[in-house]
Amino acid sequence: MNNPLVHAFFVGRALSEALYEQAEKLLTNALSELGKLDAELRQQLHQFTTQVIERANREEEEAMRRRGTGVAGQASTEPADLQAMIDDLRAEIAQLRAELKRYRSSRTM
């Protein structure tokens, strides 16, 4: 049987199947790459967040060391030091209020 119409039908069918397979491969590869990219971005975001938190913790510890031992250490060893720290904090607050008042008055002039 050498019918050109039947032959054209099978050629068209084979072409459509081949195109479908290629499209399926392309879509699968694209989704795979997108999944990899998503995973990498999530990992980088996690690492960035971890680095920021570690940096903040280091800076907090350094600030506490510069300021002296923490409140919990003072409260457990010497209650008088706790009162001194409270007094120092109140003095700092008073200084900040005075500076703020001075700043506000200089802006209105």
Side-chain angles (χ1 to χ4, degrees):
M1 175 179 330
N2 199 0
N3 188 350
L5 192 58
V6 173
H7 181 70
F9 169 77
F10 284 108
V11 168
R13 188 168 120 185
L15 177 65
S16 68
E17 288 175 357
L19 288 174
Y20 178 78
E21 290 171 2
Q22 288 297 320
E24 184 180 17
K25 285 180 187 178
L26 287 173
L27 181 63
T28 302
N29 289 340
L31 291 176
S32 174
E33 291 298 319
L34 185 62
K36 289 178 188 176
L37 177 64
D38 181 51
E40 289 175 5
L41 288 175
R42 285 178 189 261
Q43 182 181 9
Q44 289 175 359
L45 179 62
H46 179 71
Q47 289 174 350
F48 178 73
T49 304
T50 303
Q51 289 173 352
V52 168
I53 291 172
E54 288 174 357
R55 181 181 292 179
N57 288 340
R58 281 194 310 266
E59 289 176 5
E60 180 182 9
E61 289 173 5
E62 183 179 322
M64 293 304 285
R65 264 189 258 125
R66 276 188 264 138
R67 186 156 178 81
T69 57
V71 174
Q74 291 177 354
S76 64
T77 57
E78 298 177 22
D81 288 344
L82 179 59
Q83 186 61 45
M85 178 182 263
I86 291 171
D87 292 340
D88 290 342
L89 290 173
R90 286 182 178 157
E92 286 181 29
I93 290 170
Q95 286 176 342
L96 288 173
R97 283 184 178 164
E99 287 293 323
L100 183 58
K101 187 176 181 180
R102 192 174 327 142
Y103 174 77
R104 286 180 180 163
S105 66
S106 70
R107 287 192 60 190
T108 57
M109 290 182 179

